[in-house]
Amino acid sequence: MAKAVLFDMDGVLAFTEQFYNQRRVDYLAEHDLFLDEVPDFSGSDDAAMWEALIPDDAGRRRRLHAGYEEYSRAHPTPWAAVANPQAATTFGLLRRRGIRVAICSSSPRALVDELVVALDLEGLVDCTMSGYDFSEFKPSPEIYLRTMGGLGVSADQSIVVEDSPIGIAAGKRSGALVCALRPPAGVRLDQSGADVIIDHLMDVVPLAMSGRVPRQ
């Protein structure tokens, strides 16, 4: 039986990526920077995203990035609409079985805290970690390794739940069993690097208990 399950946030506990991707595109359009398509930055960190969006003008990138923070406050994450409805139930089932629960996200600490409150996860999570707490973002395994250390568990006692190729790579590098949550319809992600792919978040409970995913 696993002793800990470490969850990514975006794309796992809340389906935020499409909202964030579109919000960035809408913001840039207001500043006369038009993109041919909505880029998918699933699993990426903030600095890498903005370098990809505005690669050749560091000054403009800094100005737009700073302005986007205010734009984001005016267009907050619609947690009720994007939340994974199985998050609280899954956390509760794991905790009742003595399995520790952590959230390990590349998102800023403020967003992780917002999600915990919005999804009623307070009291159901042992540890929350932001990529900004560490020297390297995913695909570095640092966030997972440090979280396991804080929980007092080893990699072979842990399951990492991810969705994006970047997050899956981080989980694999940590040495844990990596479980990928299949993305919503219309979202394409290469999840071939995961050990297991599940359709529903609650499928991680029997996986943590016995190493098997129930037949659908």
Side-chain angles (χ1 to χ4, degrees), residues 118-210:
L119 274 61
D120 295 323
L121 301 179
E122 297 166 292
L124 297 176
V125 60
D126 295 283
C127 176
T128 62
M129 292 289 191
S130 162
Y132 289 82
D133 297 331
F134 302 97
S135 59
E136 293 183 277
F137 285 94
K138 301 173 187 177
S140 164
E142 183 181 12
I143 189 171
Y144 285 124
L145 291 171
R146 294 274 295 277
T147 301
M148 291 173 201
L151 293 174
V153 299
S154 61
D156 61 1
Q157 297 170 326
S158 303
I159 295 175
V160 164
V161 185
E162 278 280 358
D163 67 314
S164 71
I166 292 173
I168 290 169
K172 291 294 290 183
R173 292 176 185 179
S174 77
L177 178 78
V178 178
C179 174
L181 177 64
R182 202 180 302 277
V187 178
R188 292 185 178 183
L189 292 172
D190 179 5
Q191 298 183 325
S192 60
D195 297 299
V196 180
I197 298 176
I198 59 175
D199 292 312
H200 308 287
L201 193 64
M202 283 195 296
D203 290 342
V204 78
V205 178
L207 179 64
M209 295 295 295
S210 66

Side-chain angles (χ1 to χ4, degrees), residues 25-209:
V25 168
D26 294 342
Y27 167 73
L28 291 173
E30 290 189 6
H31 293 269
D32 299 320
L33 200 163
F34 301 95
L35 304 177
D36 294 332
E37 60 183 16
V38 179
D40 183 8
F41 290 116
S42 297
S44 188
D45 63 271
D46 197 53
M49 286 186 284
W50 283 92
E51 287 179 11
L53 287 167
I54 310 171
D56 301 321
D57 190 335
R60 187 184 190 195
R61 184 192 312 138
R62 285 193 297 271
R63 291 191 298 273
L64 287 174
H65 190 188
Y68 181 68
E69 293 183 9
E70 182 176 347
Y71 185 87
S72 297
R73 287 192 290 272
H75 300 79
T77 307
W79 293 114
V82 301
N84 188 324
Q86 295 187 357
T89 300
T90 300
F91 280 26
L93 289 170
L94 291 170
R95 290 285 298 272
R96 284 196 290 275
R97 287 159 174 78
I99 299 171
R100 294 190 171 190
V101 173
I103 299 173
C104 300
S105 174
S106 293
S107 291
R109 166 64 59 184
L111 279 180
V112 178
D113 293 343
E114 272 187 34
L115 173 130
V116 169
V117 173
L119 274 61
D120 295 323
L121 301 179
E122 297 166 292
L124 297 176
V125 60
D126 295 283
C127 176
T128 62
M129 292 289 191
S130 162
Y132 289 82
D133 297 331
F134 302 97
S135 59
E136 293 183 277
F137 285 94
K138 301 173 187 177
S140 164
E142 183 181 12
I143 189 171
Y144 285 124
L145 291 171
R146 294 274 295 277
T147 301
M148 291 173 201
L151 293 174
V153 299
S154 61
D156 61 1
Q157 297 170 326
S158 303
I159 295 175
V160 164
V161 185
E162 278 280 358
D163 67 314
S164 71
I166 292 173
I168 290 169
K172 291 294 290 183
R173 292 176 185 179
S174 77
L177 178 78
V178 178
C179 174
L181 177 64
R182 202 180 302 277
V187 178
R188 292 185 178 183
L189 292 172
D190 179 5
Q191 298 183 325
S192 60
D195 297 299
V196 180
I197 298 176
I198 59 175
D199 292 312
H200 308 287
L201 193 64
M202 283 195 296
D203 290 342
V204 78
V205 178
L207 179 64
M209 295 295 295

